[in-house]
Amino acid sequence: MPSKSIQFQKVGIMGKPRSQEAAETIKILHDHLVEEGCDIWLQDSLPESLHSKHTQPTSRKEMGKLVDLVVVVGGDGSMLNAGRYLVQHEVPLVGINRGHLGFLTDVRPTEVRERISEVLRGQYNQENRFILHTEVYRNQERIGRSDAVNELVLYPGEIARMLEFELFIDNQFVYSQRSDGLIVSTPTGSTAYALSGGGPIISPKIDAMVLVPMFPHTLSSRPIVIDANSHIEIAISSNNQHYPMVSCDGQVNIGLAPGDIIGIKKHPLPLKILHPESHDYYEVLRTKLGWGQKL
């Protein structure tokens, strides 16, 4: 019989389908959840060898309807993918790091049993992070939409092409720009592509977005931090002779044409991420970015 102290009875597992390291950790996680008496749903694209009589296969799209908690085994990319699917169901996520940086997946593979037991029993810190929702319009008709946990990137789609566009925030004109594109980032994404582009690190506790120009034609163009509840519009200039792209988390791409309008706003629902009680955001920054340690 399952322990009465368990807070999450229905647990989903998502992860990298073709990662041997992730598969090894998923097997350990699976066995531990069985011992805890949990009902387990497994992402159906994971290797057949990971499925058992204790698991029920389901798609990423359906996972959020069935479970109380999702454990993501992989890197930050796996968490970004899971977040876009699960945010609408308000299902909390906890990440086990089998990737590289691990800003979002902060449970070490060697601590799976200990940390997951703690989470199951309510010993965790919950962090609500907002994500972006974008829609693309052509001749006033919506042609595409997606969500982004980290960032939305407007880029030319071709090497050595300059992109022309106009930026509006809350219906106010900000600037016209010729550049390699624009990064619109959440605080979660401020340590990712936006950081590489020269943007600031934004604490996840701050309700803000950052707009980072990519190699602008004028050196006076600089990153802007704005209120997260702002509505952003990017108008692709009809002067462009090529077809740019907009990318969400580097995983979902929408093709654009001259004259298209990109609308970006805060998603109405938060992404719920659970951390071990020992989680320290600034310790993560020190470790991942190589900052100096305490003397």
Side-chain angles (χ1 to χ4, degrees), residues 238-249:
S238 57
N239 294 330
N240 289 293
Q241 300 299 309
H242 57 288
Y243 291 80
M245 301 281 289
V246 63
S247 175
C248 297
D249 291 335

Side-chain angles (χ1 to χ4, degrees), residues 38-281:
C38 296
D39 302 320
I40 308 169
W41 278 260
L42 200 65
Q43 180 180 322
D44 56 8
S45 59
L46 291 172
E48 187 65 31
S49 60
L50 296 175
H51 295 260
S52 75
K53 64 179 181 180
H54 301 287
T55 64
Q56 302 178 58
T58 186
S59 67
R60 293 174 297 179
K61 187 176 181 180
E62 297 296 316
M63 179 80 76
K65 301 176 183 178
L66 304 170
V67 301
D68 307 316
L69 171 72
V70 172
V71 183
V72 181
V73 183
D76 286 343
S78 298
M79 282 287 279
L80 299 179
N81 186 280
R84 290 196 307 276
Y85 279 99
L86 298 172
V87 65
Q88 62 182 316
H89 302 292
E90 300 186 81
V91 177
L93 286 75
V94 59
I96 299 174
N97 187 22
R98 292 309 319 228
H100 298 289
L101 288 176
F103 278 100
L104 296 175
T105 50
D106 49 22
V107 174
R108 297 185 181 93
T110 55
E111 300 177 329
V112 169
R113 292 177 176 273
E114 177 184 359
R115 299 305 179 206
I116 295 303
S117 288
E118 292 173 354
V119 169
L120 291 176
R121 287 164 175 77
Q123 297 173 251
Y124 58 79
N125 293 321
Q126 178 173 313
E127 201 170 42
N128 291 341
R129 299 200 178 191
F130 79 84
I131 73 172
L132 300 175
H133 177 73
T134 185
E135 297 183 345
V136 177
Y137 290 86
R138 182 173 299 160
N139 299 321
Q140 299 184 334
E141 179 181 349
R142 189 176 68 193
I143 63 167
R145 63 179 177 178
S146 183
D147 298 326
V149 179
N150 263 1
E151 75 279 301
L152 177 144
V153 180
L154 170 66
Y155 65 103
E158 298 180 29
I159 296 175
R161 286 280 193 174
M162 191 70 76
L163 179 62
E164 292 187 32
F165 60 89
E166 292 183 337
L167 174 68
F168 298 83
I169 298 176
D170 293 332
N171 296 317
Q172 293 186 317
F173 175 70
V174 180
Y175 55 60
S176 58
Q177 188 175 103
R178 298 182 71 243
S179 67
D180 282 4
L182 183 71
I183 303 169
V184 181
S185 172
T186 65
T188 302
S190 70
T191 53
Y193 196 21
L195 183 63
S196 299
I201 295 174
I202 303 177
S203 166
K205 294 181 180 180
I206 296 177
D207 205 28
M209 290 185 275
V210 60
L211 285 65
V212 182
M214 298 167 60
F215 300 100
H217 188 64
T218 57
L219 298 179
S220 59
S221 295
R222 290 292 181 265
I224 305 174
V225 179
I226 64 173
D227 187 282
N229 296 298
S230 303
H231 181 261
I232 298 170
E233 274 196 0
I234 303 172
I236 307 302
S237 173
S238 57
N239 294 330
N240 289 293
Q241 300 299 309
H242 57 288
Y243 291 80
M245 301 281 289
V246 63
S247 175
C248 297
D249 291 335
Q251 298 176 342
V252 178
N253 297 292
I254 303 172
L256 304 172
D260 284 356
I261 302 292
I262 306 167
I264 307 165
K265 62 183 179 180
K266 183 181 186 179
H267 195 286
L269 298 174
L271 179 63
K272 300 178 180 179
I273 299 177
L274 307 186
H275 300 287
E277 290 184 325
S278 60
H279 174 74
D280 182 338
Y281 174 72

